[in-house]
Amino acid sequence: MESIEKYFSGIKRTLDVLPLDSIEEVICILQGARLYRQQVFVMGNGGSAATASHFVADLAKNTRVAGWPHFRVIGLTDNMPIFSAYANDEGYETVFAEQLNNLINQDDIVIGISGSGNSPNVVNGIMLANSRGATTIGLTGLTGGKLKSLAHVSVHIPTDRMDQAEDFHLMVEHLIIDSLVQYVKSISEVVESDNLVVLGSDENTGGLVKNLFGKSMKLNTSNQVSQEPIVQMPELLTRINEEFTAKLGLHNLLSRLLNLTATYLGATSGSIVVVDEKGAVVDGASAYTGIIDARPAELFSETMRNGLAGWVVKNRRPAIVENTREDRRWLSQAWETSRSAICVPLMTMDRVIGVLTLTRMHSQQFTIDDLSLLTAVTLSLSYSLNVEYMMDDK
């Protein structure tokens, strides 16, 4: 009985000092990975290998929400033929780094789990990931070891017991999964309810474990762009549906959809472009401060070839640009000042049918919260555009 009480007293002490800020940061990184379609790799040894496999299974299956992107997650502990081949032929310390060397892309996510923080194969995998421009996350215990300082984000469990460190790693994994699911469900509930939403606020971006949404306020009328919506999400989607039922021509429809979405996000300008199966521009619309620019569709071709919209279509994932003057993907004009931009593909199944771009007057104005909510809007747009307009052209 004494050993049971001692074990649980240690658990209780550690609960009070868990690194919640680091856990929240991991949740935010993984939510971005879902939206940006980045790969997530997970690795560990022994009990940590079991946690790594558990993490992979939960990310792949238990985070699924209808209409939202699934996680692209790979367990580096799970392919025993390749794992044992590297271990036998090149040394156990290479088993994760060599797998990553073949698969990893810049901006992917790599999670290393090690109770001691000193497992050579995990440390080598994290070092390889860092050298390739990936974002690295370490789950450690005891002193944290090398992994604590090598990983970009460290979730260090402050306990001197290996077994309890492993207990908490699994608990943290489940907390992360639950928070990721609740994050998306909260947005989905906003779409279907009468709640108001705050977009782009700093407290939302970093506090995914906490309350995600609060009440919104009206846009101000000054030159300073507000980051809060003029209309509620349910009202926006209702008005979008009304535009589709009006059976407008495609160009007029795109103009009106762009104006509605830009107003909702508090954007000063934007564009929406529809493309065919070969990526050629079918039609498009652009707007500035609520005024639709009547440019012909062919003028969007340059943006689709060399601009941010083209990058988004080619890479099939969204982008947030903090400063348009400093991002090479942005097709800048000589007269432009620094702005921020968000760009999201319109997709049905595996086909990109278009792209929606919005900008605000100042840099660093868009957040993951904006991206998540705009994704919810574009899911509806994509389906209706494909059914009502694109399928008719086949």
Side-chain angles (χ1 to χ4, degrees), residues 36-113:
Y36 287 121
R37 310 300 291 130
Q38 294 159 334
Q39 297 181 109
V40 180
F41 300 92
V42 195
M43 57 186 174
N45 296 291
S48 296
T51 301
S53 294
H54 196 139
F55 207 156
V56 170
D58 284 349
L59 270 178
K61 179 178 181 294
N62 293 345
T63 60
R64 295 176 301 168
V65 177
W68 286 80
H70 294 176
F71 275 96
R72 303 175 66 191
V73 57
I74 299 169
L76 300 179
T77 64
D78 298 325
N79 187 331
M80 280 310 298
I82 192 66
F83 186 100
S84 59
Y86 283 127
N88 185 66
D89 298 342
E90 300 184 29
Y92 194 77
E93 69 277 6
T94 71
V95 294
F96 298 135
E98 287 300 329
Q99 290 185 75
L100 286 170
N101 191 43
N102 289 331
L103 301 172
I104 198 167
N105 297 314
Q106 184 176 354
D107 298 325
D108 282 342
I109 316 299
V110 178
I111 302 173
I113 308 173

Side-chain angles (χ1 to χ4, degrees), residues 48 113-119 139-145 156 162 165-166 169:
S48 296
I113 308 173
S114 172
S116 69
N118 288 318
S119 300
L139 272 63
T140 64
L142 307 185
T143 66
H156 176 235
M162 178 66 75
E166 292 179 348
H169 287 163

